[in-house]
Amino acid sequence: MDVLVTAYFVCVLAIIILSTLLNAILIYIIIYKIKVTELPHIFILSISISDVIHTLIGLVAELCMLYGVYSLKKNFVCIGASFLTVFIVVSNILQTVIISIMRVIAVKWPFFYIKYCKTIKMKVTLLFFCYLYGLLWPTFPLIGWSKYEVDLDKKRCSFDWNLTRLDSLSYLIILFSFCYFIPVVALIFAYIAIKRTVVDSCTVRRIQVGKNRNVLEMVYLKLALWSAVFYFVIWTPYAGASLLSVFKIKSPSVIYTLCALFSKLSAISNALTNCYFNKFFRNHLKKIKFFQFIIKRNRKSNDNVKL
C-alpha cells in the first residue's frame, strides 16, 4: 500500500472514532439528560443516530474495500455502502435545513411555531419526509435512472461521473440542484432571516419578551451561521470536483480523494453545529461525571500554576 492509501485509511479511521464518540455522547445527553421532545431535539437525535450507522457501516465497508477485502467491481458491498452513504447524507442534509427553518419560524412567528410545529403529527410527518427524500436519490440509479460506478479515484462506488449512460447527466444535474444548491440557499436564507430578527432590537415585541428571548435568538443565529458555513465548506470541494469531471475537466485522482475525505467530516460537523456549539448543550455536557472530573482537574492545575 502506498503512502496516500495509508494516510487516507488513518484519516477515515479517525473520523469513524471521533464521529462515533461525539454522536454517542450527544445521543446519551438528549435521551437521559435533556429529556425533551422538541422538534429540533428529535431531528438532532435522528441525525446523530444516522451518522453513527453511517460511520460504523458505510465507512468501515469503504475501508474494507480499500484494502481489498471486498472488490470494487459493482458487488453488493460496494453499491450497498454507497447507497447507505447517499441515503443518510441526503436525509441528514434535509433535516439540518428543516431545523434551521424551524428556528426561523420559532423566532419570527413564535405563536405559529407553538401551535403547529410542536405537534407530534408535524414531527412525524417532517421526519418521514426527510427519510423518504433521502431514500429516493440513491434508489433512482438502482431502477434505471443513471447507475452506480467506481468513483473517480477508484476507491469506492459512487455515481456515474464519467457519463457512461445517456441519462446520467440529467440525474446528476437534478441531484446537484435538489441535494446541494437548494439546501445551500435554504441555509443562507435561514441565517439572514434570523439575523434580521436579531438586529431589529427596537420593536415592541422584543421589548416585551425581554432578555431571555434575546439570548435564545443569538444562539439560533450562531447555529444557523455554522450550519451554513460547515455545509458549504465541507460539500463544495467534492461537488466542484465532481462537476468538473462531468464537463470533461479531469483532475488528479488525489484531488478527488481529498475532496471525498473532506466530505466525510459532515459526520462530525453535524454534531458540532447542532449541539457542541450550543452553550445550553454544553451545560448538560458538564453535568456528566467524566467531564466534571476533567474540569475539576484542570481547575486544580490552574490553581497550582498560579501559586
Side-chain angles (χ1 to χ4, degrees):
M1 288 292 173
D2 57 22
V3 176
L4 179 61
V5 172
T6 303
Y8 182 82
F9 175 87
V10 172
C11 290
V12 174
L13 184 61
I15 291 173
I16 292 173
I17 296 172
L18 185 58
S19 172
T20 303
L21 180 62
L22 291 176
N23 284 291
I25 295 173
L26 193 157
I27 293 168
Y28 170 79
I29 290 178
I30 291 179
I31 294 177
Y32 294 102
K33 297 296 182 181
I34 298 178
K35 298 179 181 179
V36 177
T37 57
E38 296 290 340
L39 189 145
H41 293 98
I42 293 176
F43 274 64
I44 292 170
L45 182 63
S46 171
I47 291 172
S48 295
I49 293 173
S50 297
D51 280 335
V52 170
I53 295 173
H54 173 214
T55 52
L56 293 181
I57 298 179
L59 296 189
V60 169
E62 182 177 326
L63 292 182
C64 290
M65 290 181 288
L66 183 67
Y67 275 90
V69 177
Y70 297 102
S71 172
L72 272 171
K73 296 182 179 179
K74 302 181 183 180
N75 63 61
F76 72 96
V77 175
C78 183
I79 294 177
S82 181
F83 182 95
L84 179 66
T85 296
V86 176
F87 165 57
I88 289 178
V89 165
V90 174
S91 62
N92 284 358
I93 287 172
L94 186 58
Q95 289 180 70
T96 301
V97 170
I98 288 179
I99 290 173
S100 296
I101 298 298
M102 287 298 121
R103 285 169 178 157
V104 173
I105 296 174
V107 168
K108 296 182 72 67
W109 305 286
F111 297 108
F112 178 88
Y113 177 81
I114 293 172
K115 185 176 181 179
Y116 296 104
C117 299
K118 298 183 72 172
T119 63
I120 296 177
K121 182 178 179 181
M122 177 62 74
K123 298 171 186 176
V124 173
T125 301
L126 290 176
L127 198 60
F128 174 79
F129 174 72
C130 290
Y131 280 107
L132 178 62
Y133 189 84
L135 186 63
L136 285 176
W137 295 103
T139 300
F140 286 134
L142 295 179
I143 60 177
W145 188 14
S146 188
K147 66 174 182 176
Y148 286 101
E149 269 292 346
V150 176
D151 207 352
L152 296 167
D153 60 352
K154 313 297 183 184
K155 287 182 172 57
R156 71 197 67 79
C157 280
S158 185
F159 298 118
D160 186 19
W161 303 117
N162 292 317
L163 305 181
T164 59
R165 285 184 52 159
L166 294 177
D167 58 355
S168 291
L169 180 59
S170 62
Y171 172 77
L172 293 175
I173 291 174
I174 295 177
L175 176 71
F176 270 98
S177 299
F178 283 89
C179 299
Y180 176 74
F181 292 111
I182 292 178
V184 166
V185 173
L187 290 172
I188 293 175
F189 161 78
Y191 169 71
I192 293 174
I194 296 176
K195 184 177 181 180
R196 285 179 177 176
T197 304
V198 172
V199 171
D200 186 17
S201 58
C202 297
T203 61
V204 175
R205 180 184 65 80
R206 286 178 60 86
I207 293 174
Q208 291 176 343
V209 295
K211 184 179 178 181
N212 288 337
R213 184 170 179 82
N214 186 32
V215 172
L216 183 62
E217 289 175 355
M218 292 301 296
V219 172
Y220 282 174
L221 178 63
K222 181 180 179 180
L223 297 179
L225 173 62
W226 282 113
S227 294
V229 169
F230 269 118
Y231 179 82
F232 182 79
V233 170
I234 286 176
W235 287 108
T236 298
Y238 186 73
S242 302
L243 276 178
L244 288 177
S245 69
V246 170
F247 293 105
K248 308 301 181 183
I249 302 175
K250 300 296 183 182
S251 301
S253 61
V254 65
I255 299 297
Y256 299 118
T257 301
L258 291 175
C259 291
L261 179 63
F262 201 63
S263 68
K264 289 175 174 55
L265 293 175
S266 62
I268 297 173
S269 68
N270 287 332
L272 294 178
T273 55
N274 288 318
C275 285
Y276 289 93
F277 288 169
N278 186 340
K279 66 178 182 179
F280 296 117
F281 176 83
R282 292 199 299 271
N283 290 334
H284 289 284
L285 190 66
K286 294 175 183 177
K287 295 177 182 178
I288 298 178
K289 293 182 179 180
F290 175 75
F291 293 102
Q292 288 178 345
F293 172 78
I294 294 178
I295 293 171
K296 290 180 180 178
R297 189 166 185 175
N298 288 335
R299 286 177 180 174
K300 290 181 180 178
S301 299
N302 292 333
D303 291 339
N304 291 333
V305 171
K306 291 178 182 179
L307 292 175

